[in-house]
Structure formats: structure tokens, C-alpha cells
Short mmCIF file of all heavy atoms in Angstrom, two decimals:
data_model
loop_
_atom_site.label_atom_id
_atom_site.label_comp_id
_atom_site.label_asym_id
_atom_site.label_seq_id
_atom_site.Cartn_x
_atom_site.Cartn_y
_atom_site.Cartn_z
N ILE C 1 51.43 -73.59 -51.35
CA ILE C 1 51.80 -74.51 -52.43
C ILE C 1 51.57 -75.95 -51.98
O ILE C 1 52.00 -76.35 -50.89
CB ILE C 1 53.28 -74.33 -52.82
CG1 ILE C 1 53.53 -72.89 -53.26
CG2 ILE C 1 53.68 -75.29 -53.92
CD1 ILE C 1 54.75 -72.28 -52.66
N ARG C 2 50.89 -76.72 -52.82
CA ARG C 2 50.61 -78.11 -52.48
C ARG C 2 51.74 -79.03 -52.92
O ARG C 2 52.59 -78.65 -53.73
CB ARG C 2 49.29 -78.54 -53.12
CG ARG C 2 48.11 -77.84 -52.49
CD ARG C 2 46.81 -78.19 -53.15
NE ARG C 2 46.70 -77.65 -54.48
CZ ARG C 2 45.55 -77.58 -55.14
NH1 ARG C 2 44.44 -78.03 -54.59
NH2 ARG C 2 45.50 -77.07 -56.36
N ALA C 3 51.75 -80.24 -52.39
CA ALA C 3 52.76 -81.23 -52.76
C ALA C 3 52.73 -81.45 -54.27
O ALA C 3 51.66 -81.53 -54.87
CB ALA C 3 52.51 -82.54 -52.03
N ASN C 4 53.90 -81.52 -54.85
CA ASN C 4 54.06 -81.77 -56.29
C ASN C 4 53.56 -80.64 -57.17
O ASN C 4 53.39 -80.82 -58.38
CB ASN C 4 53.38 -83.08 -56.71
CG ASN C 4 54.13 -84.29 -56.20
OD1 ASN C 4 55.36 -84.27 -56.15
ND2 ASN C 4 53.41 -85.32 -55.82
N GLU C 5 53.30 -79.47 -56.59
CA GLU C 5 52.84 -78.34 -57.39
C GLU C 5 54.04 -77.51 -57.86
O GLU C 5 54.82 -77.04 -57.03
CB GLU C 5 51.89 -77.46 -56.58
CG GLU C 5 51.18 -76.41 -57.41
CD GLU C 5 49.98 -75.84 -56.69
OE1 GLU C 5 50.02 -75.71 -55.45
OE2 GLU C 5 48.99 -75.53 -57.37
N PRO C 6 54.22 -77.32 -59.17
CA PRO C 6 55.37 -76.55 -59.67
C PRO C 6 55.32 -75.11 -59.15
O PRO C 6 54.26 -74.48 -59.15
CB PRO C 6 55.19 -76.59 -61.20
CG PRO C 6 54.29 -77.75 -61.46
CD PRO C 6 53.38 -77.82 -60.27
N HIS C 7 56.46 -74.59 -58.73
CA HIS C 7 56.52 -73.21 -58.26
C HIS C 7 57.96 -72.70 -58.34
O HIS C 7 58.91 -73.49 -58.30
CB HIS C 7 56.01 -73.11 -56.82
CG HIS C 7 56.74 -73.97 -55.84
ND1 HIS C 7 56.55 -75.33 -55.77
CD2 HIS C 7 57.67 -73.67 -54.91
CE1 HIS C 7 57.33 -75.84 -54.83
NE2 HIS C 7 58.03 -74.86 -54.29
N CYS C 8 58.12 -71.41 -58.48
CA CYS C 8 59.46 -70.82 -58.56
C CYS C 8 59.36 -69.31 -58.47
O CYS C 8 58.27 -68.73 -58.48
CB CYS C 8 60.15 -71.22 -59.86
SG CYS C 8 59.43 -70.47 -61.34
N ILE C 9 60.54 -68.66 -58.37
CA ILE C 9 60.65 -67.20 -58.45
C ILE C 9 61.46 -66.92 -59.72
O ILE C 9 62.69 -66.93 -59.70
CB ILE C 9 61.35 -66.62 -57.21
CG1 ILE C 9 60.53 -66.92 -55.95
CG2 ILE C 9 61.54 -65.11 -57.36
CD1 ILE C 9 61.15 -66.41 -54.67
N PRO C 10 60.78 -66.69 -60.86
CA PRO C 10 61.49 -66.51 -62.12
C PRO C 10 62.12 -65.14 -62.30
O PRO C 10 62.97 -64.95 -63.16
CB PRO C 10 60.39 -66.74 -63.17
CG PRO C 10 59.14 -66.31 -62.48
CD PRO C 10 59.32 -66.69 -61.04
N SER C 11 61.69 -64.16 -61.48
CA SER C 11 62.21 -62.81 -61.64
C SER C 11 62.29 -62.10 -60.30
O SER C 11 61.34 -62.16 -59.50
CB SER C 11 61.30 -62.01 -62.59
OG SER C 11 61.72 -60.67 -62.70
N ILE C 12 63.43 -61.45 -60.04
CA ILE C 12 63.62 -60.67 -58.82
C ILE C 12 63.94 -59.24 -59.21
O ILE C 12 64.87 -58.98 -59.99
CB ILE C 12 64.78 -61.25 -57.98
CG1 ILE C 12 64.42 -62.67 -57.50
CG2 ILE C 12 65.09 -60.35 -56.78
CD1 ILE C 12 65.55 -63.37 -56.77
N THR C 13 63.17 -58.27 -58.71
CA THR C 13 63.39 -56.87 -59.07
C THR C 13 64.17 -56.12 -58.00
O THR C 13 64.69 -55.03 -58.26
CB THR C 13 62.04 -56.18 -59.31
OG1 THR C 13 61.20 -56.36 -58.15
CG2 THR C 13 61.33 -56.77 -60.52
N SER C 14 64.26 -56.66 -56.78
CA SER C 14 65.09 -56.08 -55.73
C SER C 14 66.45 -56.76 -55.78
O SER C 14 66.68 -57.68 -56.57
CB SER C 14 64.43 -56.28 -54.36
OG SER C 14 64.13 -57.64 -54.16
N GLU C 15 67.39 -56.33 -54.96
CA GLU C 15 68.72 -56.94 -54.97
C GLU C 15 68.68 -58.38 -54.47
O GLU C 15 69.45 -59.22 -54.92
CB GLU C 15 69.68 -56.11 -54.11
CG GLU C 15 70.07 -54.78 -54.73
CD GLU C 15 70.68 -54.96 -56.12
OE1 GLU C 15 71.58 -55.81 -56.27
OE2 GLU C 15 70.24 -54.25 -57.05
N GLU C 16 67.77 -58.65 -53.53
CA GLU C 16 67.65 -60.01 -53.01
C GLU C 16 66.25 -60.22 -52.44
O GLU C 16 65.50 -59.28 -52.22
CB GLU C 16 68.71 -60.30 -51.93
CG GLU C 16 68.59 -59.43 -50.70
CD GLU C 16 69.67 -59.70 -49.67
OE1 GLU C 16 70.76 -60.16 -50.06
OE2 GLU C 16 69.42 -59.46 -48.48
N VAL C 17 65.94 -61.49 -52.25
CA VAL C 17 64.65 -61.86 -51.65
C VAL C 17 64.92 -62.82 -50.51
O VAL C 17 65.67 -63.80 -50.67
CB VAL C 17 63.72 -62.54 -52.69
CG1 VAL C 17 62.49 -63.14 -52.00
CG2 VAL C 17 63.29 -61.54 -53.75
N ILE C 18 64.33 -62.54 -49.36
CA ILE C 18 64.39 -63.46 -48.23
C ILE C 18 62.98 -63.99 -47.97
O ILE C 18 62.05 -63.20 -47.79
CB ILE C 18 64.94 -62.79 -46.96
CG1 ILE C 18 66.38 -62.30 -47.19
CG2 ILE C 18 64.87 -63.74 -45.77
CD1 ILE C 18 66.97 -61.56 -46.01
N ALA C 19 62.85 -65.29 -48.02
CA ALA C 19 61.54 -65.92 -47.77
C ALA C 19 61.66 -66.86 -46.58
O ALA C 19 62.68 -67.52 -46.38
CB ALA C 19 61.08 -66.68 -49.01
N PHE C 20 60.59 -66.90 -45.80
CA PHE C 20 60.49 -67.82 -44.67
C PHE C 20 59.55 -68.94 -45.10
O PHE C 20 58.42 -68.69 -45.51
CB PHE C 20 59.94 -67.11 -43.44
CG PHE C 20 59.75 -67.98 -42.23
CD1 PHE C 20 60.82 -68.66 -41.67
CD2 PHE C 20 58.50 -68.10 -41.65
CE1 PHE C 20 60.65 -69.45 -40.54
CE2 PHE C 20 58.31 -68.89 -40.53
CZ PHE C 20 59.39 -69.57 -39.97
N VAL C 21 60.03 -70.17 -45.03
CA VAL C 21 59.29 -71.31 -45.56
C VAL C 21 58.83 -72.23 -44.44
O VAL C 21 59.61 -72.58 -43.54
CB VAL C 21 60.16 -72.11 -46.56
CG1 VAL C 21 59.42 -73.34 -47.07
CG2 VAL C 21 60.58 -71.22 -47.72
N ILE C 22 57.55 -72.61 -44.48
CA ILE C 22 56.99 -73.61 -43.56
C ILE C 22 56.53 -74.78 -44.41
O ILE C 22 55.71 -74.60 -45.32
CB ILE C 22 55.81 -73.05 -42.76
CG1 ILE C 22 56.21 -71.78 -42.02
CG2 ILE C 22 55.27 -74.10 -41.79
CD1 ILE C 22 55.03 -71.06 -41.36
N ARG C 23 57.05 -75.97 -44.16
CA ARG C 23 56.63 -77.17 -44.88
C ARG C 23 55.83 -78.07 -43.94
O ARG C 23 56.29 -78.43 -42.87
CB ARG C 23 57.83 -77.91 -45.46
CG ARG C 23 58.43 -77.18 -46.65
CD ARG C 23 59.41 -78.05 -47.40
NE ARG C 23 59.88 -77.39 -48.61
CZ ARG C 23 60.76 -77.92 -49.44
NH1 ARG C 23 61.25 -79.13 -49.20
NH2 ARG C 23 61.15 -77.28 -50.51
N ILE C 24 54.64 -78.43 -44.39
CA ILE C 24 53.69 -79.17 -43.57
C ILE C 24 53.60 -80.62 -44.05
O ILE C 24 53.31 -80.88 -45.22
CB ILE C 24 52.28 -78.54 -43.63
CG1 ILE C 24 52.35 -77.02 -43.43
CG2 ILE C 24 51.35 -79.21 -42.63
CD1 ILE C 24 52.80 -76.58 -42.09
N ASN C 25 53.82 -81.57 -43.13
CA ASN C 25 53.74 -82.98 -43.48
C ASN C 25 52.28 -83.43 -43.59
O ASN C 25 51.42 -82.96 -42.84
CB ASN C 25 54.46 -83.80 -42.40
CG ASN C 25 54.71 -85.23 -42.81
OD1 ASN C 25 53.78 -85.99 -43.07
ND2 ASN C 25 55.97 -85.61 -42.86
N TRP C 26 51.99 -84.35 -44.54
CA TRP C 26 50.63 -84.88 -44.69
C TRP C 26 50.15 -85.52 -43.39
O TRP C 26 48.96 -85.46 -43.06
CB TRP C 26 50.58 -85.92 -45.81
CG TRP C 26 51.37 -87.16 -45.51
CD1 TRP C 26 52.68 -87.40 -45.81
CD2 TRP C 26 50.92 -88.31 -44.80
NE1 TRP C 26 53.08 -88.63 -45.34
CE2 TRP C 26 52.01 -89.22 -44.71
CE3 TRP C 26 49.71 -88.68 -44.22
CZ2 TRP C 26 51.92 -90.45 -44.07
CZ3 TRP C 26 49.61 -89.92 -43.58
CH2 TRP C 26 50.72 -90.78 -43.52
N TYR C 27 51.06 -86.11 -42.63
CA TYR C 27 50.72 -86.75 -41.35
C TYR C 27 50.09 -85.72 -40.41
O TYR C 27 49.10 -86.00 -39.72
CB TYR C 27 51.98 -87.34 -40.73
CG TYR C 27 51.79 -87.91 -39.35
CD1 TYR C 27 51.42 -89.24 -39.17
CD2 TYR C 27 51.99 -87.13 -38.21
CE1 TYR C 27 51.25 -89.76 -37.89
CE2 TYR C 27 51.81 -87.64 -36.94
CZ TYR C 27 51.44 -88.96 -36.79
OH TYR C 27 51.25 -89.46 -35.53
N TYR C 28 50.65 -84.52 -40.38
CA TYR C 28 50.14 -83.46 -39.53
C TYR C 28 48.74 -83.04 -39.96
O TYR C 28 47.85 -82.83 -39.13
CB TYR C 28 51.10 -82.27 -39.59
CG TYR C 28 50.74 -81.13 -38.68
CD1 TYR C 28 50.69 -81.30 -37.30
CD2 TYR C 28 50.48 -79.85 -39.19
CE1 TYR C 28 50.38 -80.25 -36.46
CE2 TYR C 28 50.17 -78.79 -38.35
CZ TYR C 28 50.12 -79.00 -36.99
OH TYR C 28 49.81 -77.96 -36.16
N MET C 29 48.53 -82.93 -41.28
CA MET C 29 47.23 -82.51 -41.78
C MET C 29 46.14 -83.52 -41.43
O MET C 29 45.05 -83.14 -40.98
CB MET C 29 47.29 -82.33 -43.31
CG MET C 29 48.20 -81.21 -43.77
SD MET C 29 47.73 -79.57 -43.16
CE MET C 29 46.11 -79.36 -43.89
N TRP C 30 46.42 -84.81 -41.63
CA TRP C 30 45.38 -85.83 -41.44
C TRP C 30 45.22 -86.30 -40.00
O TRP C 30 44.27 -86.97 -39.67
CB TRP C 30 45.64 -87.03 -42.34
CG TRP C 30 45.16 -86.82 -43.74
CD1 TRP C 30 45.92 -86.80 -44.86
CD2 TRP C 30 43.81 -86.61 -44.18
NE1 TRP C 30 45.13 -86.58 -45.98
CE2 TRP C 30 43.84 -86.45 -45.58
CE3 TRP C 30 42.59 -86.52 -43.52
CZ2 TRP C 30 42.69 -86.23 -46.34
CZ3 TRP C 30 41.45 -86.28 -44.28
CH2 TRP C 30 41.50 -86.15 -45.67
N ASN C 31 46.16 -85.95 -39.12
CA ASN C 31 46.08 -86.41 -37.75
C ASN C 31 45.79 -85.27 -36.77
O ASN C 31 44.81 -85.32 -36.04
CB ASN C 31 47.37 -87.13 -37.36
CG ASN C 31 47.46 -88.49 -38.00
OD1 ASN C 31 47.04 -89.49 -37.43
ND2 ASN C 31 47.98 -88.55 -39.22
N ILE C 32 46.64 -84.28 -36.74
CA ILE C 32 46.45 -83.17 -35.80
C ILE C 32 45.36 -82.22 -36.31
O ILE C 32 44.39 -81.92 -35.62
CB ILE C 32 47.76 -82.39 -35.59
CG1 ILE C 32 48.91 -83.35 -35.25
CG2 ILE C 32 47.56 -81.34 -34.50
CD1 ILE C 32 48.70 -84.16 -34.01
N CYS C 33 45.50 -81.78 -37.55
CA CYS C 33 44.56 -80.78 -38.09
C CYS C 33 43.16 -81.34 -38.31
O CYS C 33 42.18 -80.59 -38.29
CB CYS C 33 45.09 -80.22 -39.41
SG CYS C 33 46.63 -79.29 -39.24
N ALA C 34 43.05 -82.64 -38.51
CA ALA C 34 41.75 -83.25 -38.79
C ALA C 34 40.76 -83.09 -37.64
O ALA C 34 39.55 -83.20 -37.84
CB ALA C 34 41.92 -84.73 -39.12
N ASP C 35 41.27 -82.81 -36.44
CA ASP C 35 40.37 -82.57 -35.30
C ASP C 35 39.77 -81.16 -35.34
O ASP C 35 38.83 -80.88 -34.60
CB ASP C 35 41.14 -82.75 -33.98
CG ASP C 35 41.46 -84.20 -33.69
OD1 ASP C 35 40.75 -85.08 -34.22
OD2 ASP C 35 42.43 -84.46 -32.95
N TYR C 36 40.33 -80.29 -36.20
CA TYR C 36 39.90 -78.90 -36.21
C TYR C 36 39.47 -78.40 -37.59
O TYR C 36 38.83 -77.35 -37.69
CB TYR C 36 41.04 -78.00 -35.70
CG TYR C 36 41.57 -78.42 -34.36
CD1 TYR C 36 42.67 -79.27 -34.25
CD2 TYR C 36 40.95 -78.00 -33.18
CE1 TYR C 36 43.16 -79.67 -33.01
CE2 TYR C 36 41.42 -78.39 -31.94
CZ TYR C 36 42.53 -79.23 -31.86
OH TYR C 36 43.01 -79.63 -30.64
N ILE C 37 39.86 -79.13 -38.64
CA ILE C 37 39.54 -78.72 -40.00
C ILE C 37 38.70 -79.80 -40.66
O ILE C 37 39.02 -80.99 -40.56
CB ILE C 37 40.81 -78.48 -40.83
CG1 ILE C 37 41.69 -77.40 -40.17
CG2 ILE C 37 40.47 -78.04 -42.26
CD1 ILE C 37 43.04 -77.21 -40.85
N ASP C 38 37.63 -79.42 -41.33
CA ASP C 38 36.77 -80.36 -42.02
C ASP C 38 37.58 -81.20 -43.00
O ASP C 38 38.44 -80.68 -43.72
CB ASP C 38 35.67 -79.58 -42.76
CG ASP C 38 34.70 -80.51 -43.47
OD1 ASP C 38 33.80 -81.03 -42.80
OD2 ASP C 38 34.87 -80.70 -44.68
N ALA C 39 37.29 -82.51 -43.06
CA ALA C 39 38.05 -83.42 -43.91
C ALA C 39 38.00 -83.03 -45.38
O ALA C 39 38.97 -83.19 -46.12
CB ALA C 39 37.54 -84.85 -43.73
N ALA C 40 36.85 -82.51 -45.83
CA ALA C 40 36.73 -82.09 -47.23
C ALA C 40 37.67 -80.93 -47.53
O ALA C 40 38.24 -80.85 -48.63
CB ALA C 40 35.29 -81.69 -47.53
N LYS C 41 37.86 -80.04 -46.57
CA LYS C 41 38.78 -78.92 -46.78
C LYS C 41 40.22 -79.40 -46.82
O LYS C 41 41.03 -78.92 -47.62
CB LYS C 41 38.59 -77.87 -45.68
CG LYS C 41 37.29 -77.10 -45.79
CD LYS C 41 37.22 -75.99 -44.76
CE LYS C 41 35.92 -75.19 -44.93
NZ LYS C 41 35.84 -74.08 -43.96
N ILE C 42 40.57 -80.35 -45.94
CA ILE C 42 41.92 -80.91 -45.97
C ILE C 42 42.18 -81.57 -47.30
O ILE C 42 43.24 -81.40 -47.91
CB ILE C 42 42.13 -81.91 -44.81
CG1 ILE C 42 42.07 -81.19 -43.46
CG2 ILE C 42 43.47 -82.63 -44.96
CD1 ILE C 42 42.20 -82.10 -42.27
N HIS C 43 41.21 -82.33 -47.77
CA HIS C 43 41.34 -83.01 -49.06
C HIS C 43 41.57 -82.00 -50.18
O HIS C 43 42.43 -82.20 -51.05
CB HIS C 43 40.06 -83.81 -49.34
CG HIS C 43 40.07 -84.52 -50.67
ND1 HIS C 43 40.85 -85.63 -50.90
CD2 HIS C 43 39.42 -84.26 -51.82
CE1 HIS C 43 40.66 -86.03 -52.15
NE2 HIS C 43 39.80 -85.21 -52.72
N THR C 44 40.85 -80.89 -50.15
CA THR C 44 41.02 -79.85 -51.16
C THR C 44 42.39 -79.20 -51.05
O THR C 44 43.05 -78.93 -52.06
CB THR C 44 39.93 -78.77 -51.01
OG1 THR C 44 38.65 -79.37 -51.14
CG2 THR C 44 40.09 -77.68 -52.06
#
């Protein structure tokens, strides 16, 4: 999910859902990852 992208879990069919969430800062993408990922891909 990208920044500012609407998202939710509108329906749960099991008794509960456990999700593990990783949130990535833009600083990390443009500084650390930019050495390994093409800039056009990061932009996308």
C-alpha cells in the first residue's frame, strides 16, 4: 500500500485476523534503497 492510498478490511470471515505491518519511510526509499533499486521503480 502506498502513502495516502485508501485501504481497509471491510469483512472478516474468521473469528479474528492478525496482520504484521511494515511501514517504510520515504527517506529509506530514496536514500538506502536508491543504491539498489532503479529510481524509476522507486518513483512508481
Side-chain angles (χ1 to χ4, degrees):
I1 301 134
R2 291 177 290 195
N4 289 324
E5 190 163 35
H7 58 284
C8 69
I9 298 178
S11 176
I12 296 174
T13 55
S14 54
E15 288 304 312
E16 63 182 26
V17 170
I18 298 177
F20 178 59
V21 177
I22 304 172
R23 287 193 175 179
I24 313 294
N25 193 298
W26 66 269
Y27 175 89
Y28 184 61
M29 295 299 298
W30 278 117
N31 287 268
I32 310 300
C33 295
D35 288 337
Y36 306 94
I37 302 174
D38 182 80
K41 289 186 178 181
I42 294 177
H43 178 72
T44 301

